[in-house]
Amino acid sequence: MERAKTKQPATGKNSLSFLFSLVFLQTALSITPGILLYKNQDGSNWQGAFLLILYLVVSNFSELAVRMQYRKDSRFPAAAYSIKLLLCSVLIILFASQTQWQFALILFGYELFQTVANSRQYFYLDSFYYTLLNPLFKGFLLNMLFLMKAPIFFDPNQITALLPAFFVSIVLTLFQQGQVSSRNRKPIFIACFLIGTLLFMGSILYLHLGKGYFSLWRVFAMVFASLMATIFTFRQKNFLKAETTLDLIYLLGLIFLYF
């Protein structure tokens, strides 16, 4: 099946700054809830936390480059990606040596997921497998690396508390897929993006009404911010500006909810 060509937006002098901003924002989004919950734990290992953050900066830079290349109907060069894999493998081993070796399994699984997304054999960024797996890592597992105790153990209360982060990751992933889709699935991703936004709002309402995790005024403020962010994305033609603003609003919202 021949892939449909996508029209490229005009790129200005500020495009590079938006790219670096996106790397920072995406790194912060995938760990902020975990850090804010983690700071209350006894015996916190901040050296291990620093290594994890450094790994995620490299990983998110690569992920953004892969998406940008995919949007241009291309792939990230294999030689450059091999260097990224080597660097990330070293950082994973260093992180595991400071924490628990079992945690390396999760991060190497994340590396495998990213490698498949960059594969020339699959249109993975247009797949709903990507829609589900990317939020699973960024919404749950990367945050849980701050919270898990060895052997690998998930506290059900912590998983419940991370529901908003998970749905935020779904919303942002669907937005990204809608912007880079090369198989004419943009309308589907846009519709799912709106559904994901509603699911996020529902999750924080559930955690307020059913669990008492968040105060009502925080929930209303986050719902209002989500609505404003969604409206902005449909009014903004430059997808880098739209994604940067969307990421920033949701990052501030998660800080607001979890702090």
Side-chain angles (χ1 to χ4, degrees), residues 31 48-57 95 107 142 145-146:
I31 57 176
F50 172 77
L51 287 168
L52 178 59
I53 292 170
L54 184 59
Y55 160 76
L56 289 174
V57 170
F95 167 71
L107 292 180
L142 295 179
L145 285 174
F146 286 93

Side-chain angles (χ1 to χ4, degrees), residues 75-250:
R75 291 293 185 274
F76 197 64
Y81 198 82
S82 298
I83 296 173
K84 177 263 181 183
L85 282 175
L86 178 61
L87 179 57
C88 284
S89 297
V90 171
L91 290 171
I92 289 173
I93 292 171
L94 290 174
F95 167 71
S97 69
Q98 293 294 322
T99 54
Q100 300 294 332
W101 288 103
Q102 298 96 319
F103 296 170
L105 297 175
I106 295 175
L107 292 180
F108 278 121
Y110 186 46
E111 283 299 306
L112 177 61
F113 161 72
Q114 293 177 77
T115 301
V116 173
N118 190 44
S119 172
R120 293 180 181 272
Q121 283 74 36
Y122 309 101
F123 300 121
Y124 205 56
L125 283 168
D126 269 293
S127 167
F128 282 105
Y129 290 109
Y130 186 88
T131 308
L132 294 175
L133 288 175
N134 194 51
L136 177 64
F137 279 106
K138 290 191 172 182
F140 273 131
L141 295 179
L142 295 179
N143 281 302
M144 289 299 295
L145 285 174
F146 286 93
L147 304 171
M148 286 187 298
K149 302 294 184 183
I152 294 177
F153 171 75
F154 294 91
D155 184 339
N157 290 325
Q158 291 174 344
I159 294 176
T160 302
L162 289 173
L163 276 177
F166 176 68
F167 284 115
V168 163
S169 294
I170 288 180
V171 169
L172 298 179
T173 297
L174 287 166
F175 175 80
Q176 293 164 0
Q177 289 181 283
Q179 298 306 309
V180 304
S181 176
S182 57
R183 303 192 75 186
N184 297 321
R185 292 182 177 176
K186 184 171 183 177
I188 297 175
F189 287 127
I190 290 175
C192 291
F193 165 72
L194 294 174
I195 294 172
T197 302
L198 293 175
L199 288 173
F200 166 69
M201 294 177 185
S203 71
I204 58 177
L205 283 172
Y206 164 73
L207 290 176
H208 165 71
L209 296 173
K211 301 291 184 177
Y213 284 173
F214 308 122
S215 59
L216 186 59
W217 69 276
R218 289 177 185 265
V219 171
F220 280 145
M222 191 65 242
V223 168
F224 177 76
S226 300
L227 290 173
M228 293 300 99
T230 303
I231 293 171
F232 177 83
T233 60
F234 285 99
R235 295 176 61 88
Q236 177 57 250
K237 294 181 180 180
N238 186 304
F239 80 96
L240 287 177
K241 290 182 180 179
E243 184 175 346
T244 301
T245 303
L246 193 66
D247 286 0
L248 179 60
I249 290 175
Y250 274 109

Side-chain angles (χ1 to χ4, degrees), residues 11-17:
T11 55
K13 295 181 180 179
N14 293 327
S15 294
L16 189 61
S17 63

